[in-house]
Amino acid sequence: KAGVTQTPRYLIKTRGQQVTLSCSPISGHRSVSWYQQTPGQGLQFLFEYFSETQRNKGNFPGRFSGRQFSNSRSEMNVSTLELGDSALYLCASSFQQGSAEAFFGQGTRLTVV
Amino acid sequence: GENVEQHPSTLSVQEGDSAVIKCTYSDSASNYFPWYKQELGKRPQLIIDIRSNVGEKKDQRIAVTLNKTAKHFSLHITETQPEDSAVYFCAASGGGATNKLIFGTGTLLAVQP
């Protein structure tokens, strides 16, 4: 069974641009969560999707948004990029909703210059 | 708010020794406590987890204990090997219909041959 797939693996963007990251969960998994990982702040929850609905949102500005499609694939978008958005963005896949095991993708390394 | 404290931030042990990492959570509704291992440049990998209705769980050289009253949980690694060297993260799930995880700040474990 294929694992969680995130694309692209690496991105370099300029301040002010926007970016879209993609996550394909493990086959059969319907829940996708997104996390931002930085050396200073560690792993921070961004948002969580289940059955195409956002179920929970972390403490991030409105520039961060996401969505989930009917095939459970998810995308997150960051608009008006800032230098501080440089981070590893990780997607986690879970079979069900509610304290379920979460399996991470390899992440997208975003660098904002 | 929700918070998970993790100690120590770095831990150096000799091969064959035991390692213990401790976490404390703040949200009494938390009911799921996973541990992740992240090697340099790789994804966080789920290594063991425990739910609030269990006090201890073992998987070969790894064990996790949970004290709900004190809101403490710990990871124990016995007979450490150089390949155990990585950053270890504890996390707590908020309970209810969410997979949101609050992560500790990580412990860099170095196993000296």
Side-chain angles (χ1 to χ4, degrees):
Chain A
K1 195 188 263 192
V4 183
T5 304
Q6 290 188 246
T7 56
R9 291 289 312 279
Y10 303 93
L11 267 178
I12 300 176
K13 290 287 188 179
T14 305
R15 273 181 301 175
Q17 287 187 312
Q18 74 162 16
V19 67
T20 299
L21 313 181
S22 179
C23 171
S24 293
I26 294 169
S27 178
H29 284 199
R30 296 166 59 197
S31 173
V32 173
S33 298
W34 289 89
Y35 293 84
Q36 182 194 66
Q37 186 174 29
T38 59
Q41 298 298 317
L43 279 151
Q44 291 191 292
F45 172 78
L46 279 157
F47 23 65
E48 170 186 13
Y49 288 88
F50 183 77
S51 294
E52 302 177 66
T53 302
Q54 186 179 92
R55 303 291 176 156
N56 217 330
K57 190 176 192 309
N59 191 23
F60 279 82
R63 300 184 297 107
F64 291 81
S65 63
R67 59 178 174 169
Q68 187 180 34
F69 302 95
S70 58
N71 62 357
S72 295
R73 189 177 70 85
S74 177
E75 289 182 346
M76 67 163 281
N77 184 77
V78 188
S79 62
T80 320
L81 284 165
E82 301 177 359
L83 295 178
D85 297 332
S86 295
L88 180 66
Y89 290 88
L90 291 160
C91 160
S93 163
S94 299
F95 177 69
Q96 61 191 24
Q97 190 70 2
S99 301
E101 292 177 324
F103 301 94
F104 282 90
Q106 291 186 301
T108 294
R109 172 74 62 186
L110 172 65
T111 303
V112 182
V113 297
Chain B
E2 303 159 316
N3 186 48
V4 175
E5 293 187 2
Q6 182 172 347
H7 299 281
S9 56
T10 60
L11 180 58
S12 181
V13 299
Q14 290 295 125
E15 183 177 358
D17 286 350
S18 295
V20 180
I21 303 170
K22 299 182 178 183
C23 290
T24 304
Y25 61 98
S26 62
D27 186 355
S28 55
S30 296
N31 61 3
Y32 173 63
F33 308 91
W35 286 86
Y36 287 87
K37 173 184 179 183
Q38 188 175 29
E39 296 174 79
L40 190 62
K42 296 194 175 180
R43 74 185 77 194
Q45 179 189 359
L46 178 64
I47 57 171
I48 195 167
D49 56 16
I50 192 167
R51 298 188 184 273
S52 58
N53 58 347
V54 174
E56 183 175 0
K57 184 177 178 180
K58 276 187 180 179
D59 182 3
Q60 300 182 352
R61 296 185 298 108
I62 295 173
V64 57
T65 59
L66 172 64
N67 181 332
K68 282 176 54 181
T69 303
K71 297 183 190 172
H72 289 168
F73 59 114
S74 300
L75 178 71
H76 305 253
I77 306 174
T78 58
E79 300 171 24
T80 54
Q81 301 166 4
E83 50 266 38
D84 294 329
S85 296
V87 178
Y88 290 80
F89 292 96
C90 63
S93 175
T98 179
N99 291 329
K100 172 184 176 181
L101 294 173
I102 304 300
F103 282 88
T105 49
T107 296
L108 175 60
L109 174 64
V111 180
Q112 309 297 332

